Amino acid sequence: MTVTELSSNLEQVPSQTSFTNLLYLLRDKGINVSTAEWLNLQAVLGRGGIQTMEQMYQTSKAMLVKDPSQYPDFAQAFAQFFELSSNNSDSEEQNADPSSANDTGMTADDLALRNLLLQNEDQEKKVQTAVLATPSTASPADVPEDDNQVEETETYGQQTEKPEQANDSTSPSLLSKIREESESRKQAHEQESRRKMYERVLRRLKNKLTSTTAEITDKLDVKGTVKHIAQSGGNIVPIWERAVNIQPQLLLLLDVWGSTDIYVDEMADFWKAASKMLGKITILAYHNAPYGEVWPVEDGNRPIHPIPLSKLWPQAANTKLVIMTDATMPLDRDDNTGLYNRHDINFDHPRLAGAKPKEYRNTGLENFQLMGQHYKRAVIINPNRQRDWTHGYAGTTTNHSLEKIRRIFPMFELTEKGLNNAIDTLLK
Amino acid sequence: MSAENSNGHLQTRQLPKEFLAAAVKRANELSLQRAERPYRPSSELKFLLEVQVETAHMPLMLVGEPGGGKTAAAYHLQHELMQKTQREGRDANVSLHHISCHDNLSPREILYRFDHLARLRAATDGKVIPEHLVGKTAEWLATVAQNPDLATSPEFISFAESVIKVVELSHIQAKTLLDPMSFMVYGPLGEAIIRSINGEESVVLIDEIDKTPPGFEDQLLEVIEHLIFTLEEAGLSVAGNKELLHIIITSNDQRELSKAFLRRLMVHEIKFPSKKELEAIVHDHLPQVNNRLARAAINFIIRLRNELELNKPPSTAEVIQWIKVMQAYNQSAESIEAYEVPLLEMIIKDNEDRRNVEDYLRRRSY
């Protein structure tokens, strides 16, 4: 069936605005569709540009959703509004969600148009099925040669052998598309948009950091001075050497293990984005509080290559420090991981040869304070949202530790706004 | 192109005219070849391009990984429109105006600039009446003053008429020459709008709009929505024909674009193709490809993308080039299947990714 043939079916399309409640449903889901965008979609619908339910899905997605991370929410709202879910589990999910009640507010005209779009969808699918069933149309690339391809071909085969599936009121291809958007891609989209947000913010930091290069030193550039004298006809002007690599460095310190485990994805994404955007940065780890030592993040949750804190101080003046922690821990703990605890360190470890035991006698809080003294530009990024900072971890009163640490370092939440504010503070 | 001579002065290197003409011709040919390159849009993109051209008449913004075919989609659209106009027996002159965005680009630059210098030159030239005519007029005026009868002589009338004609002509010429519209130099978008007014079809590609400075897009809202722009020097606003001008915008999401701008567009995300789609794309571009090599390479790419979190995963364009070069150097499918992958540099560009992939290959090759 051609598009022209299909469009003859659409002569019954009502002239007034259609599917108005989809607009409100989308807005309820956080997709802020404007009136102008909605009217643009109506114009395309009115001109007969949309013939099938799948085309309705594709066009409305392109015209109403401008951020791909919202595709999953859009897919859910679309399926809910047009009542496309035929799957039992989907229905259960819908019933469990009070906002997705059966009454989607479709008018009689809306229902007629919905049915028409579905009917056209089925007719088009029949045509496609017939085309797929014709062996001569297969291209060389369609010929299966390995296991995966055989599976894919079998999927097509099911369609060709069971054309009655296409007569279902719900379109399998559209449904599978919606399921793909709303389930499997949701996590990937969230991660992708999070990474992009981190990169956007870190790009700002990078631009600021790299603009502070090429400062004049107190060392005379002899060659440059002689060249200038020769070029300027004997006019003596001293040319000073420029230090080009004195830009401030960045140290990222991650609080690993325990209460921060639930933020591991966000922290790993931030770490990756920072490595990507800022090149060679130092990323170290600690648990709860720094008890005399930190370790390379590659070591994981425990120090395999411990680095005494005192080794960090020489570079601290030129380094900006970003600590990523939820700053949540008991003040005292039996296993010595509280804020007021100090660790018993095994000084026999070969990596600690030469380290002075007194460096390790500070409590976690004292070491945070020591860091605050050495790093003049330091911030804490808290992956926990600010609204929850007063609640403490798992209903305990460990938010006391957060308040104490927050007095040493300005603290910002791990959101675009929080990161921008943190960067402003670092660059002051 | 410039170079420094022995006196330390910069000198411009001139391109000989015959070479310049050849280079311009070659550029045009390349542009046409680019439009004819095989391109396999997803069914969704194909449909949205149809909606854009036939019913919505609004710009389509394509987002997605670099090298995923966003730019190629615009050339594909040009090619499709040319074929369509040819089929309909119309003039198949559908032009493509490619705007490569950068951080110094101004919105006005892509619409038009006013050539003030040319207008000044024209004004100076237009005012001059030939010197010999001025001298001869002075002689005739003196003669007629002494002998008024000569004013009716055929010689004088003939001369006076010719002078008036010259003066009239110079006025008309000045009017025409100094018309501000004659000094408008249109940018790619401006030219396409003017073409649409003249009934000619165009595709405008605003490539990588995220590279422009913040606020760039907000100065183009009227142009994007209604194809209206104002020629300030002429005091005129012109509106293009939306049915004949199709705007494709691409973005790599390096900065957030304003909501006001986005609401005037359709947005579509180009996803990395499935294995089957990628095989078909490779066959389109490399019809003579060794099937086994192509399949091994594609399997490897799909595995890499699924199993490793790469900062910069290989794009479709990179995969095609990689397979092409591997085939040219007689690389075998067996080596890829044994995880001894040649020419990794062509698909893995990020240092951290490279370490990860090498580590992955070591683990898999045991």
Side-chain angles (χ1 to χ4, degrees):
Chain A
M1 177 169 287
T2 64
V3 172
T4 323
E5 285 168 321
L6 285 173
S7 54
S8 64
N9 290 343
L10 282 184
E11 282 168 9
Q12 308 155 40
V13 174
S15 57
Q16 74 269 25
T17 311
S18 306
F19 308 132
T20 311
N21 281 330
L22 175 62
L23 168 68
Y24 295 103
L25 185 59
L26 290 172
R27 291 184 65 90
D28 284 347
K29 295 255 180 193
I31 302 169
N32 291 323
V33 179
S34 71
T35 320
E37 285 168 320
W38 184 251
L39 290 175
N40 282 338
L41 176 66
Q42 295 298 321
V44 173
L45 199 58
R47 287 177 202 141
I50 297 169
Q51 308 293 324
T52 67
M53 188 54 87
E54 181 151 3
Q55 290 179 353
M56 178 71 194
Y57 177 75
Q58 290 167 352
T59 314
S60 50
K61 189 172 79 168
M63 298 186 92
L64 308 179
V65 192
K66 306 302 162 73
D67 177 0
S69 68
Q70 290 184 318
Y71 286 170
D73 291 335
F74 172 78
Q76 280 179 352
F78 189 90
Q80 183 185 327
F81 182 77
F82 288 105
E83 296 172 332
L84 293 179
S85 298
S86 60
N87 181 310
N88 286 338
S89 61
D90 283 355
S91 308
E92 280 163 20
E93 275 172 29
Q94 278 187 23
N95 292 335
D97 180 2
S99 69
S100 62
N102 283 335
D103 180 16
T104 52
M106 266 203 247
T107 63
D109 285 340
D110 283 350
L111 277 170
L113 181 54
R114 167 194 177 273
N115 293 338
L116 201 56
L117 291 171
L118 284 171
Q119 194 184 324
N120 279 350
E121 179 84 27
D122 294 340
Q123 284 173 342
E124 194 169 67
K125 202 167 295 132
K126 274 181 195 166
V127 175
Q128 284 175 358
T129 310
V131 172
L132 281 170
T134 313
S136 61
T137 56
S139 73
D142 295 334
V143 180
E145 292 207 12
D146 64 70
D147 296 345
N148 291 335
Q149 274 203 314
V150 170
E151 281 170 24
E152 285 168 14
T153 315
E154 280 170 356
T155 314
Y156 274 116
Q158 282 167 5
Q159 285 185 358
T160 49
E161 286 163 20
K162 298 175 186 174
E164 66 272 16
Q165 274 191 358
N167 291 329
D168 246 11
S169 62
T170 50
S171 145
S173 65
L174 179 57
L175 275 181
S176 62
K177 193 165 284 191
I178 289 175
R179 284 203 192 99
E180 187 203 357
E181 296 276 23
S182 61
E183 291 165 18
S184 64
R185 295 185 67 216
K186 185 161 188 167
Q187 200 183 349
H189 263 305
E190 277 172 4
Q191 190 179 30
E192 200 181 322
S193 56
R194 194 164 60 218
R195 268 194 209 165
K196 279 180 181 167
M197 185 269 279
Y198 293 160
E199 285 176 14
R200 224 172 15 240
V201 177
L202 288 164
R203 189 173 291 115
R204 224 185 107 221
L205 178 63
K206 183 187 176 187
N207 291 342
K208 293 281 182 188
L209 288 181
T210 49
S211 63
T212 56
T213 59
E215 286 189 8
I216 292 173
T217 65
D218 57 357
K219 205 174 165 190
L220 190 71
D221 177 356
V222 180
K223 278 188 181 173
T225 306
V226 171
K227 192 178 172 190
H228 186 269
I229 292 170
Q231 285 176 345
S232 61
N235 187 16
I236 302 170
V237 175
I239 305 293
W240 302 102
E241 277 191 6
R242 284 171 181 269
V244 284
N245 289 320
I246 57 159
Q247 57 176 289
Q249 295 174 335
L250 190 78
L251 169 61
L252 180 57
L253 202 52
L254 300 180
D255 175 8
V256 295
W257 200 30
S259 62
T260 56
D261 278 354
I262 55 171
Y263 309 114
V264 71
D265 287 344
E266 285 98 321
M267 289 170 74
D269 286 344
F270 185 78
W271 158 25
K272 282 183 180 173
S275 306
K276 183 177 173 186
M277 300 309 301
L278 304 174
K280 282 187 178 175
I281 60 164
T282 314
I283 306 175
L284 302 173
Y286 68 95
H287 172 56
N288 272 1
Y291 304 102
E293 64 187 19
V294 288
W295 56 87
V297 73
E298 292 81 7
D299 284 4
N301 292 341
R302 294 284 189 188
I304 301 167
H305 307 95
I307 301 166
L309 283 179
S310 57
K311 289 202 173 174
L312 301 179
W313 306 151
Q315 285 86 37
N318 275 334
T319 303
K320 296 179 195 299
L321 173 66
V322 176
I323 305 173
M324 190 169 278
T325 175
D326 61 353
T328 304
M329 70 203 83
L331 297 179
D332 270 303
R333 260 180 89 126
D334 292 342
D335 65 353
N336 286 337
T337 56
L339 188 62
Y340 294 163
N341 294 128
R342 51 175 62 86
H343 271 191
D344 292 325
I345 303 292
N346 173 16
F347 288 101
D348 294 334
H349 195 291
R351 286 277 175 166
L352 291 185
K356 296 169 187 166
K358 72 172 183 181
E359 292 170 350
Y360 285 83
R361 295 314 299 162
N362 290 331
T363 63
L365 182 63
E366 285 165 344
N367 275 331
F368 270 131
Q369 286 163 342
L370 212 51
M371 275 186 172
Q373 287 164 18
H374 281 90
Y375 291 93
K376 298 299 175 199
R377 292 280 172 262
V379 291
I380 286 183
I381 307 287
N382 193 333
N384 194 4
R385 295 293 171 267
Q386 190 160 1
R387 61 174 180 269
D388 299 327
W389 288 358
T390 52
H391 301 329
Y393 172 55
T396 67
T397 56
T398 49
N399 59 313
H400 291 313
S401 63
L402 185 145
E403 286 306 322
K404 288 187 189 304
I405 296 168
R406 201 178 170 186
R407 279 180 214 155
I408 306 169
F409 303 103
M411 189 179 286
F412 305 92
E413 62 177 6
L414 184 56
T415 57
E416 185 153 12
K417 189 180 170 193
L419 284 170
N420 274 315
N421 289 339
I423 287 173
D424 289 341
T425 304
L426 282 178
L427 296 174
K428 264 180 191 167
Chain B
M1 191 182 290
S2 63
E4 206 169 316
N5 65 13
S6 55
N7 299 324
H9 294 122
L10 288 177
Q11 59 181 14
T12 305
R13 219 167 136 186
Q14 296 288 338
L15 195 61
K17 272 185 185 170
E18 62 273 25
F19 290 149
L20 184 65
V24 170
K25 191 178 166 207
R26 178 83 187 124
N28 290 335
E29 283 169 3
L30 282 175
S31 179
L32 280 175
Q33 278 173 18
R34 199 168 180 184
E36 284 166 8
R37 248 182 240 170
Y39 184 75
R40 193 178 275 255
S42 66
S43 58
E44 195 167 342
L45 176 57
K46 202 171 175 178
F47 171 67
L48 287 176
L49 288 171
E50 191 184 311
V51 168
Q52 180 193 19
V53 172
E54 301 293 338
T55 47
H57 307 306
M58 60 196 290
L60 174 65
M61 183 161 93
L62 300 173
V63 296
E65 291 175 16
K70 301 189 290 293
T71 304
Y75 283 88
H76 168 75
L77 178 62
Q78 181 202 15
H79 182 65
E80 290 294 301
L81 290 171
M82 281 173 81
Q83 292 212 321
K84 188 182 160 204
T85 48
Q86 263 173 358
R87 278 196 302 271
E88 290 169 1
R90 292 187 285 132
D91 179 18
N93 182 19
V94 179
S95 62
L96 185 133
H97 307 261
H98 186 150
I99 302 166
S100 296
C101 295
H102 52 81
D103 56 1
N104 284 326
L105 189 68
S106 73
R108 194 172 151 154
E109 209 176 312
I110 64 173
L111 289 169
Y112 78 98
R113 73 181 168 82
F114 188 75
D115 194 343
H116 290 279
L117 188 63
R119 193 164 189 246
L120 182 66
R121 280 200 193 112
T124 318
D125 294 347
K127 266 200 286 189
V128 173
I129 299 170
E131 281 296 324
H132 71 277
L133 210 57
V134 175
K136 209 164 183 179
T137 308
E139 279 174 29
W140 262 110
L141 288 174
T143 312
V144 171
Q146 283 174 5
N147 188 356
D149 292 343
L150 286 176
T152 52
S153 70
E155 290 89 348
F156 177 73
I157 289 170
S158 164
F159 173 74
E161 276 176 357
S162 63
V163 169
I164 289 164
K165 271 185 189 163
V166 167
V167 171
E168 274 179 350
L169 191 63
S170 75
H171 275 287
I172 293 163
Q173 200 178 16
K175 260 190 189 172
T176 315
L177 279 179
L178 297 182
D179 180 359
M181 292 304 285
S182 309
F183 299 93
M184 300 293 173
V185 180
Y186 294 105
L189 182 55
E191 195 184 327
I193 292 175
I194 299 296
R195 275 176 60 88
S196 75
I197 295 169
N198 290 335
E200 294 165 302
E201 196 160 17
S202 309
V203 175
V204 170
L205 169 64
I206 305 179
D207 208 7
E208 301 188 343
I209 195 168
D210 50 328
K211 282 187 179 167
T212 57
F216 173 90
E217 67 274 17
D218 285 335
Q219 296 176 56
L220 285 174
L221 297 181
E222 280 294 294
V223 190
I224 290 293
E225 189 166 16
H226 303 296
L227 298 183
I228 290 180
F229 73 105
T230 303
L231 299 158
E232 284 170 23
E233 290 77 2
L236 286 175
S237 286
V238 291
N241 182 346
K242 289 169 78 174
E243 291 182 17
L244 292 174
L245 203 167
H246 319 292
I247 302 177
I248 302 278
I249 301 168
T250 73
S251 169
N252 287 327
D253 211 11
Q254 293 210 351
R255 76 171 172 86
E256 217 168 334
L257 296 166
S258 81
K259 287 191 174 124
F261 180 70
L262 288 175
R263 86 132 182 93
R264 288 164 166 85
L265 320 170
M266 295 194 287
V267 178
H268 174 66
E269 185 187 27
I270 295 189
K271 290 176 272 184
F272 189 76
S274 68
K275 188 173 147 186
K276 199 176 166 75
E277 287 165 341
L278 189 55
E279 282 189 3
I281 291 169
V282 168
H283 276 277
D284 283 348
H285 283 261
L286 309 169
Q288 306 300 321
V289 73
N290 173 331
N291 279 342
R292 192 165 167 208
L293 176 71
R295 194 162 290 114
I298 289 166
N299 283 341
F300 173 70
I301 293 292
I302 299 287
R303 263 184 218 126
L304 271 194
R305 291 183 65 100
N306 289 343
E307 294 176 26
L308 295 181
E309 275 189 27
L310 299 173
N311 294 326
K312 164 72 187 72
S315 68
T316 314
E318 286 167 333
V319 173
I320 294 167
Q321 280 303 314
W322 180 52
I323 295 173
K324 189 177 172 185
V325 175
M326 280 197 298
Q327 173 137 331
Y329 284 90
N330 293 323
Q331 299 294 331
S332 69
E334 289 86 346
S335 62
I336 301 174
E337 285 158 1
Y339 293 96
E340 287 166 5
V341 182
L343 299 162
L344 261 186
E345 298 80 1
M346 292 193 72
I347 44 171
I348 305 295
K349 313 283 173 74
D350 178 274
N351 282 343
E352 194 187 340
D353 287 349
R354 191 171 170 79
R355 282 193 294 276
N356 287 342
V357 172
E358 283 170 352
D359 187 42
Y360 170 82
L361 292 174
R362 262 195 300 279
R363 278 184 276 124
R364 299 297 294 252
S365 60
Y366 288 144

